[in-house]
Coordinates of all heavy atoms in Angstrom, one line a residue:
M97 N 14.4 18.6 -16.2 CA 13.6 18.1 -15.1 C 14.4 18.3 -13.8 O 15.6 17.9 -13.7 CB 13.3 16.6 -15.3 CG 12.3 16.1 -14.3 SD 11.8 14.4 -14.6 CE 10.4 14.7 -15.7
R98 N 13.8 18.9 -12.8 CA 14.5 19.1 -11.6 C 14.5 17.9 -10.7 O 13.7 17.0 -10.9 CB 13.8 20.3 -10.9 CG 13.8 21.5 -11.6 CD 13.1 22.6 -10.8 NE 14.2 23.6 -10.5 CZ 13.9 24.8 -10.2 NH1 12.6 25.2 -10.1 NH2 14.9 25.7 -10.0
L99 N 15.4 17.9 -9.7 CA 15.5 16.8 -8.8 C 14.2 16.6 -8.0 O 13.8 15.4 -7.8 CB 16.7 17.0 -7.9 CG 17.0 15.9 -6.9 CD1 17.3 14.6 -7.7 CD2 18.1 16.3 -6.0
A100 N 13.6 17.6 -7.6 CA 12.3 17.5 -6.8 C 11.2 16.8 -7.6 O 10.4 16.1 -7.1 CB 11.9 18.9 -6.4
E101 N 11.2 17.1 -8.9 CA 10.2 16.5 -9.8 C 10.5 15.0 -9.9 O 9.5 14.1 -9.9 CB 10.1 17.1 -11.2 CG 9.7 18.5 -11.1 CD 9.9 19.3 -12.5 OE1 10.7 18.8 -13.3 OE2 9.3 20.3 -12.7
I102 N 11.7 14.6 -10.1 CA 12.1 13.2 -10.2 C 11.8 12.5 -8.9 O 11.3 11.4 -8.9 CB 13.6 13.1 -10.5 CG1 13.9 13.6 -11.9 CG2 14.1 11.6 -10.4 CD1 15.3 13.7 -12.3
E103 N 12.1 13.1 -7.7 CA 11.8 12.5 -6.4 C 10.3 12.3 -6.3 O 9.8 11.3 -5.7 CB 12.3 13.4 -5.3 CG 13.8 13.4 -5.2 CD 14.3 14.4 -4.2 OE1 13.5 15.2 -3.7 OE2 15.5 14.3 -3.9
A104 N 9.5 13.3 -6.7 CA 8.0 13.1 -6.6 C 7.5 12.0 -7.4 O 6.6 11.2 -7.0 CB 7.3 14.4 -7.0
I105 N 8.0 11.8 -8.6 CA 7.6 10.7 -9.5 C 8.0 9.4 -8.9 O 7.2 8.5 -8.9 CB 8.2 10.9 -10.9 CG1 7.5 12.1 -11.6 CG2 8.0 9.7 -11.7 CD1 8.2 12.5 -12.9
M106 N 9.3 9.3 -8.4 CA 9.7 8.1 -7.9 C 9.0 7.7 -6.6 O 8.8 6.5 -6.3 CB 11.3 8.2 -7.6 CG 12.0 8.2 -8.9 SD 11.6 6.9 -10.1 CE 12.1 5.5 -9.2
L107 N 8.6 8.7 -5.8 CA 7.8 8.4 -4.6 C 6.5 7.8 -5.0 O 6.1 6.8 -4.4 CB 7.5 9.7 -3.8 CG 6.6 9.6 -2.6 CD1 7.3 8.7 -1.5 CD2 6.3 10.9 -2.0
N108 N 5.8 8.3 -6.0 CA 4.5 7.7 -6.4 C 4.8 6.3 -7.0 O 4.0 5.4 -6.6 CB 3.9 8.6 -7.5 CG 3.4 9.9 -6.9 OD1 3.1 10.0 -5.7 ND2 3.3 10.9 -7.8
V109 N 5.8 6.1 -7.8 CA 6.1 4.8 -8.3 C 6.4 3.8 -7.1 O 5.9 2.7 -7.1 CB 7.2 4.8 -9.3 CG1 7.7 3.4 -9.7 CG2 6.8 5.6 -10.5
G110 N 7.2 4.3 -6.2 CA 7.6 3.5 -5.0 C 6.4 3.1 -4.2 O 6.3 1.9 -3.7
L111 N 5.4 4.0 -4.0 CA 4.2 3.7 -3.2 C 3.4 2.6 -3.9 O 2.8 1.7 -3.3 CB 3.4 4.9 -3.0 CG 4.0 5.9 -1.9 CD1 3.1 7.1 -1.9 CD2 4.0 5.2 -0.6
V112 N 3.3 2.7 -5.2 CA 2.5 1.7 -6.0 C 3.2 0.3 -5.9 O 2.5 -0.7 -5.7 CB 2.4 2.1 -7.5 CG1 1.8 1.0 -8.3 CG2 1.5 3.3 -7.6
V113 N 4.5 0.3 -6.0 CA 5.3 -1.0 -5.9 C 5.1 -1.5 -4.5 O 4.9 -2.7 -4.3 CB 6.8 -0.8 -6.3 CG1 7.6 -2.0 -5.9 CG2 6.9 -0.5 -7.8
F114 N 5.2 -0.7 -3.5 CA 5.1 -1.1 -2.1 C 3.7 -1.7 -1.8 O 3.5 -2.7 -1.2 CB 5.3 0.1 -1.2 CG 5.0 -0.2 0.3 CD1 5.9 -1.0 1.0 CD2 3.9 0.4 0.9 CE1 5.6 -1.2 2.4 CE2 3.7 0.2 2.3 CZ 4.5 -0.6 3.0
A115 N 2.6 -1.0 -2.4 CA 1.3 -1.5 -2.2 C 1.1 -2.9 -2.9 O 0.5 -3.8 -2.3 CB 0.3 -0.5 -2.7
G116 N 1.7 -3.0 -4.1 CA 1.6 -4.3 -4.8 C 2.3 -5.4 -4.0 O 1.8 -6.5 -3.9
A117 N 3.4 -5.1 -3.4 CA 4.2 -6.1 -2.7 C 3.4 -6.5 -1.4 O 3.3 -7.7 -1.1 CB 5.6 -5.5 -2.3
V118 N 2.8 -5.5 -0.7 CA 2.0 -5.8 0.5 C 0.8 -6.7 0.1 O 0.6 -7.7 0.8 CB 1.5 -4.5 1.2 CG1 0.5 -4.8 2.2 CG2 2.7 -3.8 1.8
F119 N 0.1 -6.4 -1.0 CA -1.0 -7.3 -1.3 C -0.6 -8.7 -1.8 O -1.3 -9.6 -1.5 CB -1.9 -6.6 -2.4 CG -2.8 -5.5 -1.9 CD1 -2.7 -4.2 -2.3 CD2 -3.7 -5.8 -1.0 CE1 -3.5 -3.2 -1.8 CE2 -4.6 -4.9 -0.5 CZ -4.4 -3.6 -0.9
F120 N 0.6 -8.8 -2.4 CA 1.1 -10.1 -2.8 C 1.4 -10.9 -1.5 O 1.2 -12.1 -1.5 CB 2.3 -10.0 -3.7 CG 2.9 -11.3 -4.0 CD1 2.3 -12.2 -4.9 CD2 4.1 -11.7 -3.4 CE1 2.9 -13.4 -5.1 CE2 4.7 -12.9 -3.6 CZ 4.1 -13.8 -4.5
I121 N 2.1 -10.2 -0.6 CA 2.4 -10.9 0.7 C 1.2 -11.4 1.4 O 1.1 -12.5 1.9 CB 3.3 -10.0 1.6 CG1 4.6 -9.8 0.9 CG2 3.4 -10.6 3.0 CD1 5.5 -8.7 1.6
I122 N 0.1 -10.6 1.4 CA -1.1 -11.0 2.1 C -1.7 -12.2 1.4 O -2.2 -13.1 2.0 CB -2.1 -9.8 2.2 CG1 -1.6 -8.7 3.1 CG2 -3.5 -10.3 2.7 CD1 -2.4 -7.4 3.1
Y123 N -1.8 -12.1 0.0 CA -2.3 -13.2 -0.8 C -1.5 -14.5 -0.5 O -2.1 -15.6 -0.3 CB -2.3 -12.8 -2.3 CG -2.6 -14.0 -3.2 CD1 -3.9 -14.5 -3.3 CD2 -1.6 -14.6 -3.8 CE1 -4.1 -15.6 -4.1 CE2 -1.8 -15.7 -4.7 CZ -3.1 -16.2 -4.8 OH -3.3 -17.3 -5.6
D124 N -0.2 -14.4 -0.5 CA 0.6 -15.6 -0.3 C 0.4 -16.1 1.1 O 0.4 -17.4 1.2 CB 2.1 -15.2 -0.5 CG 3.0 -16.4 -0.6 OD1 2.7 -17.3 -1.4 OD2 4.1 -16.4 0.0
L125 N 0.3 -15.3 2.1 CA 0.0 -15.7 3.4 C -1.3 -16.5 3.5 O -1.4 -17.6 4.1 CB 0.0 -14.5 4.4 CG -0.3 -14.8 5.8 CD1 0.8 -15.6 6.5 CD2 -0.5 -13.5 6.6
A126 N -2.3 -16.0 2.8 CA -3.6 -16.6 2.8 C -3.6 -18.0 2.1 O -4.2 -19.0 2.6 CB -4.7 -15.7 2.2
K127 N -2.8 -18.0 1.0 CA -2.7 -19.2 0.2 C -1.9 -20.3 1.0 O -2.4 -21.5 1.1 CB -2.0 -18.9 -1.1 CG -1.9 -20.1 -2.0 CD -1.2 -19.6 -3.3 CE -0.8 -20.8 -4.1 NZ 0.0 -20.4 -5.3
K128 N -0.8 -19.9 1.6 CA 0.0 -20.9 2.4 C -0.7 -21.4 3.6 O -0.4 -22.5 4.1 CB 1.3 -20.3 2.7 CG 2.2 -20.2 1.5 CD 3.6 -19.7 1.9 CE 4.5 -19.7 0.6 NZ 5.8 -19.1 0.9
S129 N -1.6 -20.6 4.2 CA -2.2 -21.0 5.5 C -3.6 -21.7 5.2 O -4.3 -22.0 6.2 CB -2.4 -19.8 6.4 OG -3.3 -18.9 5.8
N130 N -3.9 -21.9 3.9 CA -5.2 -22.5 3.6 C -6.4 -21.8 4.3 O -7.2 -22.4 5.0 CB -5.3 -24.0 3.9 CG -4.3 -24.7 3.0 OD1 -4.1 -24.4 1.9 ND2 -3.7 -25.8 3.6
A131 N -6.4 -20.4 4.2 CA -7.3 -19.6 5.0 C -8.8 -19.8 4.5 O -9.7 -19.5 5.2 CB -6.9 -18.2 4.9
G132 N -9.0 -20.2 3.3 CA -10.4 -20.2 2.8 C -10.8 -18.8 2.3 O -10.1 -17.9 2.4
R133 N -12.0 -18.8 1.8 CA -12.5 -17.5 1.3 C -12.7 -16.4 2.3 O -12.3 -15.3 2.2 CB -13.8 -17.8 0.5 CG -14.2 -16.7 -0.4 CD -15.5 -17.0 -1.1 NE -15.1 -17.9 -2.2 CZ -15.9 -18.1 -3.3 NH1 -17.1 -17.6 -3.4 NH2 -15.5 -18.9 -4.2
F134 N -13.4 -16.8 3.5 CA -13.6 -15.9 4.5 C -12.3 -15.5 5.2 O -12.1 -14.3 5.5 CB -14.6 -16.5 5.5 CG -15.0 -15.5 6.7 CD1 -15.7 -14.4 6.4 CD2 -14.5 -15.8 7.9 CE1 -16.1 -13.5 7.4 CE2 -14.8 -14.9 9.0 CZ -15.6 -13.8 8.7
G135 N -11.5 -16.4 5.5 CA -10.2 -16.1 6.1 C -9.3 -15.2 5.2 O -8.7 -14.3 5.7
T136 N -9.3 -15.4 3.9 CA -8.6 -14.5 3.0 C -9.2 -13.1 3.0 O -8.4 -12.1 3.1 CB -8.7 -15.1 1.6 OG1 -8.1 -16.4 1.6 CG2 -7.9 -14.2 0.6
F137 N -10.5 -13.0 3.1 CA -11.2 -11.7 3.2 C -10.7 -11.0 4.5 O -10.4 -9.8 4.5 CB -12.7 -11.8 3.2 CG -13.4 -10.6 3.5 CD1 -13.5 -9.5 2.5 CD2 -14.0 -10.4 4.7 CE1 -14.1 -8.3 2.8 CE2 -14.6 -9.2 5.0 CZ -14.7 -8.2 4.1
I138 N -10.7 -11.7 5.6 CA -10.3 -11.1 6.9 C -8.9 -10.7 6.8 O -8.5 -9.6 7.3 CB -10.6 -12.1 8.0 CG1 -12.1 -12.4 8.2 CG2 -10.0 -11.6 9.3 CD1 -12.9 -11.2 8.6
L139 N -8.0 -11.5 6.2 CA -6.6 -11.1 6.1 C -6.4 -9.8 5.3 O -5.7 -8.9 5.7 CB -5.8 -12.2 5.5 CG -5.4 -13.4 6.4 CD1 -4.8 -14.5 5.6 CD2 -4.4 -12.9 7.5
F140 N -7.1 -9.8 4.2 CA -7.0 -8.6 3.3 C -7.6 -7.4 4.0 O -7.0 -6.3 3.9 CB -7.7 -8.8 2.0 CG -6.7 -9.4 0.9 CD1 -6.8 -10.7 0.6 CD2 -5.8 -8.5 0.3 CE1 -5.9 -11.2 -0.3 CE2 -5.0 -9.1 -0.7 CZ -5.0 -10.4 -1.0
F141 N -8.7 -7.6 4.7 CA -9.3 -6.4 5.4 C -8.4 -5.9 6.6 O -8.1 -4.7 6.6 CB -10.7 -6.9 6.0 CG -11.4 -5.8 6.7 CD1 -11.9 -4.7 6.0 CD2 -11.5 -5.8 8.1 CE1 -12.6 -3.7 6.6 CE2 -12.1 -4.7 8.7 CZ -12.7 -3.7 8.0
A142 N -8.0 -6.8 7.4 CA -7.2 -6.4 8.6 C -5.8 -5.9 8.3 O -5.4 -4.8 8.7 CB -7.1 -7.6 9.6
L143 N -5.1 -6.6 7.4 CA -3.8 -6.2 7.1 C -3.8 -5.1 6.1 O -2.9 -4.2 6.0 CB -2.9 -7.4 6.6 CG -2.8 -8.5 7.6 CD1 -2.0 -9.7 6.9 CD2 -2.0 -8.0 8.8
G144 N -4.8 -5.0 5.2 CA -4.9 -3.9 4.3 C -5.3 -2.6 4.9 O -5.0 -1.6 4.3
L145 N -5.9 -2.6 6.1 CA -6.2 -1.4 6.8 C -4.9 -0.6 7.1 O -4.9 0.6 7.1 CB -7.0 -1.7 8.1 CG -8.5 -1.9 7.9 CD1 -9.1 -2.2 9.3 CD2 -9.2 -0.7 7.3
G146 N -3.9 -1.3 7.5 CA -2.6 -0.6 7.8 C -2.1 0.1 6.6 O -1.6 1.2 6.6
L147 N -2.1 -0.6 5.4 CA -1.6 0.0 4.2 C -2.6 1.2 3.8 O -2.1 2.2 3.4 CB -1.6 -1.0 3.1 CG -1.2 -0.5 1.7 CD1 0.2 0.1 1.7 CD2 -1.4 -1.6 0.6
A148 N -3.9 1.0 3.9 CA -4.8 2.1 3.6 C -4.6 3.3 4.5 O -4.6 4.4 4.0 CB -6.2 1.5 3.7
A149 N -4.3 3.1 5.7 CA -4.1 4.2 6.6 C -2.8 5.0 6.2 O -2.8 6.2 6.2 CB -4.0 3.8 8.1
F150 N -1.8 4.3 5.8 CA -0.6 4.9 5.4 C -0.8 5.7 4.1 O -0.4 6.9 4.0 CB 0.5 3.8 5.1 CG 1.8 4.4 4.5 CD1 2.7 5.1 5.3 CD2 2.1 4.2 3.2 CE1 3.8 5.6 4.8 CE2 3.2 4.7 2.6 CZ 4.1 5.4 3.4
L151 N -1.5 5.1 3.1 CA -1.8 5.9 1.9 C -2.7 7.0 2.1 O -2.5 8.1 1.5 CB -2.4 4.9 0.9 CG -1.5 3.8 0.4 CD1 -2.2 2.8 -0.5 CD2 -0.2 4.3 -0.3
I152 N -3.7 6.9 3.0 CA -4.7 8.0 3.2 C -3.9 9.1 3.9 O -4.1 10.3 3.6 CB -5.8 7.5 4.1 CG1 -6.8 6.6 3.2 CG2 -6.6 8.7 4.7 CD1 -7.8 5.9 4.0
K153 N -3.0 8.8 4.8 CA -2.2 9.8 5.5 C -1.4 10.6 4.5 O -1.3 11.9 4.5 CB -1.3 9.2 6.5 CG -0.4 10.3 7.3 CD 0.8 9.7 7.9 CE 1.8 9.2 6.9 NZ 2.9 10.1 6.7
T154 N -0.8 9.9 3.5 CA 0.0 10.6 2.5 C -0.8 11.5 1.7 O -0.4 12.7 1.4 CB 0.7 9.5 1.6 OG1 1.4 8.6 2.4 CG2 1.6 10.2 0.5
V155 N -2.0 11.1 1.3 CA -2.9 11.9 0.5 C -3.4 13.1 1.3 O -3.4 14.3 0.8 CB -4.1 11.1 0.0 CG1 -5.2 12.0 -0.6 CG2 -3.7 10.0 -1.0
V156 N -3.7 13.0 2.5 CA -4.2 14.1 3.4 C -3.1 15.1 3.6 O -3.3 16.3 3.5 CB -4.7 13.6 4.7 CG1 -5.0 14.7 5.7 CG2 -6.0 12.8 4.5
V157 N -1.9 14.6 3.8 CA -0.8 15.6 4.0 C -0.5 16.4 2.7 O -0.3 17.6 2.7 CB 0.5 14.8 4.4 CG1 1.7 15.7 4.3 CG2 0.4 14.3 5.8
E158 N -0.6 15.7 1.5 CA -0.5 16.5 0.3 C -1.6 17.4 0.1 O -1.4 18.5 -0.5 CB -0.4 15.5 -0.9 CG 0.9 14.7 -0.9 CD 2.1 15.6 -1.2 OE1 2.0 16.6 -1.9 OE2 3.2 15.3 -0.6
M159 N -2.8 17.1 0.4 CA -4.0 18.0 0.2 C -3.9 19.2 1.2 O -4.2 20.3 0.8 CB -5.3 17.2 0.5 CG -5.6 16.3 -0.6 SD -7.1 15.3 -0.2 CE -8.3 16.6 -0.1
I160 N -3.3 19.0 2.4 CA -3.2 20.1 3.3 C -2.1 21.1 2.8 O -2.2 22.3 3.0 CB -2.9 19.6 4.7 CG1 -4.1 18.9 5.3 CG2 -2.5 20.7 5.6 CD1 -3.9 18.3 6.6
G161 N -1.1 20.5 2.1 CA -0.1 21.3 1.5 C 1.2 21.3 2.3 O 2.1 22.1 2.1
G162 N 1.3 20.4 3.3 CA 2.5 20.3 4.1 C 3.4 19.2 3.5 O 3.9 18.3 4.3
G163 N 3.7 19.2 2.2 CA 4.4 18.1 1.6 C 5.9 18.1 2.0 O 6.6 17.2 1.7
G164 N 6.4 19.1 2.8 CA 7.8 19.1 3.2 C 8.1 18.1 4.2 O 9.2 17.6 4.3
V165 N 7.2 17.7 5.1 CA 7.5 16.8 6.2 C 7.0 15.4 6.0 O 6.2 15.0 5.4 CB 6.9 17.4 7.5 CG1 7.1 16.4 8.7 CG2 7.5 18.7 7.8

């Protein structure tokens, strides 16, 4: 297995772990602030948009084929 293949696998694993950590932090924030059902939805929506934009950018860059940058 080449180093580039290992790096690609670890990038994917790292992104999944990062996404999980972000969602846990948002959930914990909602729980500690007693946000309620609607407030929790707003937190996940607003803060999750930042994560979604990051992940969508990564997918679009890979689809275009400019994986080097």
Side-chain angles (χ1 to χ4, degrees):
M97 188 176 270
R98 299 184 116 156
L99 182 60
E101 294 169 344
I102 294 172
E103 288 175 351
I105 292 170
M106 292 309 295
L107 175 65
N108 291 334
V109 170
L111 286 175
V112 169
V113 170
F114 174 70
V118 168
F119 281 120
F120 174 75
I121 290 168
I122 295 171
Y123 168 76
D124 192 47
L125 178 66
K127 183 177 165 189
K128 286 183 179 179
S129 66
N130 294 326
R133 196 176 281 198
F134 181 70
T136 301
F137 171 75
I138 294 299
L139 280 171
F140 270 101
F141 181 74
L143 298 176
L145 279 178
L147 176 64
F150 175 75
L151 294 176
I152 289 170
K153 180 200 71 100
T154 304
V155 169
V156 168
V157 167
E158 288 296 322
M159 288 176 62
I160 291 173
V165 174

